[in-house]
Amino acid sequence: MLDIQLLRKDLPQVRARLATRKGGEDILDVAAFERLEAQRKTIQSKTETLQAQRNSLSKDIGQLKAKGESADSAMQQVAQIKIELDSSAAQLEGIQNEMQQLLAGIPNLPHESVPVGKDESDNPEVLRWSPQSGLGGNAQALAFVAKDHVALGENLGLDFEAAARMSGSRFAVMKGPLARLQRALAQFMLDTQTQQNGYTECYVPSIVTAQALFGTGQLPKFEADLFAAKKGGHQGDEEQLPLYLIPTSEVPLTNLVADQILAESDLPMRLTAHTSCYRSEAGSAGRDTRGLIRQHQFDKVEMVQITHPDRSYEALEQMCEHAQDILRKLGLPYRMVLLCTGDMGFGAAKTYDLEVWLPGQNCYREISSISNCEAFQARRLQVRFKNAQGKNEWVHTLNGSGLAVGRTLVAVMENYQNADGSITVPPVLRPYMGGISVLTPVDSK
C-alpha cells in the first residue's frame, strides 16, 4: 500500500508515476481521493472545534459547581456535543474505510531506475548466459531437430489425459523417473538456497485467509486468479473465514512477520519454501495451453527476504544471483531482463525476470521473477522494525522464484534431450536420482 502522506504532499507526481504503469491514468481516481480528503479535513476540523467547546464547558461546569450554582445548561450542551462527536467519529470511520479501499487497489510506484514502457516488448535485456560461452553467450542449437517437452514426455511418464479425467484441463500427472526428476530439482534448489545462500527452510500452509492475501497484494484486486477453498465443518464450529489456496509461497512466508515489530538485528531475514502453488490463470485463455508452462497447479521453490530499507536493492541483486546460480549449476542457457513500468506486478517497485532457453519452443521463457516491493507489503501487513534511534520504521520485502520447479523440469528435458528421445540427467542432480544419468522411455514403464 502506498504511503498516504505521499499522496497528500505530492499527488500530481504520484499520479504521473502511476500513469506509466499498465492502466495508465485510470489507476488513481484523483477525484475520489480529493473528495475523501476534503471530507476528512472538514470532519476533523469540526471535531477539533467540538472538543475545544467541550473542554471549555467542562471547565465552566467545575467552576459553577464550586460556586454552588446550577450547571444544568452547560451539562446539556456537553451531552449534545458528545452526540455530535460520536456522529463525527462514525462519519470519519466511514471515510477512512473508503479511503483504505481506494488505496488497496492502487499498485506500487515504480522505482526511478525502472524503464518506462507499455508491455514485455519494452523490457531491456540485462545479460545472457550459456554453458558453452558464459556471460554474453547464446544458446547453441542441438545437433538434431529439437522436440518440446510434451512430445518428449509422452514416453517418459508425463500424462495430461489422466490428469484431465480427474481434475480438468491444465493439470498433469508424472510417473516414474520423471516424477523423481521433478522431486530432485526441488531438493537441489532447497539445498542450494539453505546450505549455500543462507535461507531458512520453512514448511508453510497451502491454504491461507483473505487477510494474508491482502497483505501481500493478491486481494482484493486479483481474486479471479485465486482458487477459493471451501471449509468443511458443522453448524456451531468456529467462524467460517474466506480461505484460498496459495498462488505462491511468498504469501505464507511474508505473512510470518505480519503485525510484528522486529529488532534491527533480526534483519535481513531470508526464508525459503517448496510448495505447490495454485492459480486459476484468469484471462489467459488460449495462452500456453500446451504442456507444463501454464498449469493450475505447479511447484515452486520461493525466496523471500525481509530487509532494512537501506539495503533492499542490494538484496534484490543478491537474490538475482541466487536464482541465476541454480540455472548455471544446471547448465541451462538463460537471459535476464528488467521489467518496464507497463509489465510490472502490482506490488513491485522493481522486478527482474530470468528467462530460460527452451530449444523445443525456440524461445526464452520466464522461469523466475524477482521483485523488491519496498514498504508496499509492509504497510499492508503492518511489519516494522525498531531502528537505531528507537523509532519504528517499515521493513522492505522482496520475493522471487528460486526456481519454478515445473518450468525448470521443462528446461532440463528440452536442453538435455537426446536424438533417441532420452533425457540426460544434469550432473548436479544425479546424487538426488540415485546415480541415474539418463532417463529412457523404458524407465517409465
Side-chain angles (χ1 to χ4, degrees):
M1 188 173 293
L2 296 184
D3 182 357
I4 193 170
Q5 296 301 329
L6 184 60
L7 277 80
R8 288 169 177 165
K9 292 177 182 177
D10 199 352
L11 184 59
Q13 177 64 16
V14 172
R15 185 185 187 189
R17 291 173 66 184
L18 288 173
T20 65
R21 277 182 162 272
K22 186 177 181 179
E25 295 185 355
D26 295 331
I27 291 174
L28 176 58
D29 189 338
V30 174
F33 179 80
E34 292 179 334
R35 171 180 58 81
L36 291 170
E37 274 294 281
Q39 292 174 352
R40 177 188 66 82
K41 290 177 181 178
T42 297
I43 290 176
Q44 287 187 336
S45 177
K46 178 182 177 182
T47 298
E48 290 170 1
T49 299
L50 288 169
Q51 289 172 336
Q53 291 175 355
R54 182 184 60 184
N55 292 340
S56 178
L57 285 166
S58 296
K59 184 178 179 180
D60 291 344
I61 290 170
Q63 292 175 344
L64 289 169
K65 287 183 175 181
K67 296 177 181 178
E69 299 177 8
S70 173
D72 290 350
S73 176
M75 292 175 68
Q76 288 175 0
Q77 292 180 63
V78 169
Q80 181 59 39
I81 287 174
K82 182 182 183 304
I83 293 172
E84 292 184 47
L85 282 171
D86 289 345
S87 175
S88 294
Q91 292 179 57
L92 184 60
E93 182 179 1
I95 291 168
Q96 289 172 334
N97 288 338
E98 193 174 345
M99 180 66 82
Q100 286 298 104
Q101 291 175 8
L102 177 67
L103 292 175
I106 300 173
N108 205 352
L109 295 179
H111 188 262
E112 59 186 10
S113 64
V114 174
V116 174
K118 63 182 184 303
D119 55 35
E120 63 183 13
S121 64
D122 292 325
N123 295 339
E125 183 176 301
V126 177
L127 60 84
R128 64 176 58 194
W129 181 91
S130 73
Q132 297 85 7
S133 307
L135 280 175
N138 291 315
Q140 292 188 2
L142 300 178
F144 50 89
V145 177
K147 295 180 181 179
D148 71 6
H149 70 282
V150 178
L152 290 165
E154 288 176 356
N155 297 314
L156 289 170
L158 182 58
D159 193 338
F160 294 104
E161 292 183 4
R165 288 195 298 270
M166 66 180 88
S167 303
S169 63
R170 296 199 180 188
F171 290 91
V173 167
M174 298 178 205
K175 294 177 284 188
L178 194 63
R180 186 174 185 177
L181 182 59
Q182 162 139 312
R183 174 162 56 91
L185 281 165
Q187 289 180 295
F188 162 68
M189 293 173 190
L190 279 175
D191 284 351
T192 301
Q193 301 303 356
T194 56
Q195 297 173 18
Q196 179 177 306
N197 297 326
Y199 289 81
T200 298
E201 183 177 354
C202 302
Y203 174 82
V204 292
S206 290
I207 297 176
V208 294
T209 64
Q211 183 60 34
L213 287 156
F214 173 84
T216 47
Q218 282 80 13
L219 286 177
K221 193 172 180 65
F222 302 104
E223 185 168 14
D225 291 324
L226 303 172
F227 280 109
K230 185 177 180 180
K231 184 176 181 182
H234 303 283
Q235 189 173 5
D237 283 355
E238 61 184 283
E239 183 182 357
Q240 301 286 298
L241 298 173
L243 298 171
Y244 298 85
L245 296 173
I246 59 171
T248 165
S249 56
E250 166 203 343
V251 179
L253 287 174
T254 311
N255 270 273
L256 288 174
V257 294
D259 299 312
Q260 292 186 31
I261 298 176
L262 306 172
E264 188 170 359
S265 59
D266 293 333
L267 306 177
M269 298 176 65
R270 298 178 185 173
L271 308 171
T272 188
H274 167 224
T275 64
S276 291
C277 306
Y278 306 88
R279 297 181 187 176
S280 71
E281 298 292 349
S284 64
R287 295 175 56 203
D288 303 322
T289 55
R290 177 178 168 83
L292 295 170
I293 294 296
R294 197 177 294 273
Q295 295 273 284
H296 290 315
Q297 175 183 325
F298 58 96
D299 279 24
K300 190 150 65 84
V301 171
E302 187 74 2
M303 304 177 293
V304 163
Q305 288 204 32
I306 315 296
T307 74
H308 190 289
D310 292 346
R311 292 184 280 278
S312 64
Y313 279 94
E314 176 185 338
L316 178 64
E317 300 298 325
Q318 181 186 69
M319 290 174 71
C320 288
E321 284 296 322
H322 294 163
Q324 289 178 76
D325 188 45
I326 299 289
L327 291 168
R328 292 174 181 173
K329 288 179 185 297
L330 289 169
L332 296 174
Y334 69 92
R335 68 173 189 164
M336 185 164 77
V337 298
L338 173 59
L339 299 198
C340 69
T341 54
D343 196 33
M344 289 170 54
F346 181 78
K350 185 173 184 177
T351 299
Y352 290 103
D353 273 5
L354 296 178
E355 300 177 348
V356 69
W357 175 253
L358 299 181
Q361 300 180 36
N362 195 40
C363 66
Y364 288 95
R365 300 302 302 266
E366 178 198 333
I367 199 167
S368 176
S369 190
I370 304 152
S371 300
N372 186 354
C373 298
E374 296 185 351
F376 186 83
Q377 291 180 329
R379 289 191 187 92
R380 298 168 79 103
L381 291 162
Q382 292 296 298
V383 189
R384 293 165 290 175
F385 73 99
K386 197 168 290 293
N387 64 24
Q389 291 73 42
K391 295 182 179 179
N392 293 336
E393 188 176 349
W394 299 114
V395 300
H396 280 191
T397 63
L398 302 93
N399 63 81
S401 304
L403 305 163
V405 179
R407 292 193 178 195
T408 309
L409 177 66
V410 168
V412 168
M413 292 174 68
E414 294 196 11
N415 282 279
Y416 281 88
Q417 64 179 291
N418 301 305
D420 63 358
S422 63
I423 308 294
T424 299
V425 177
V428 293
L429 295 181
R430 293 174 191 174
Y432 299 90
M433 295 289 292
I436 295 173
S437 59
V438 180
L439 304 188
T440 61
V442 71
D443 294 329
S444 65
K445 295 180 180 178

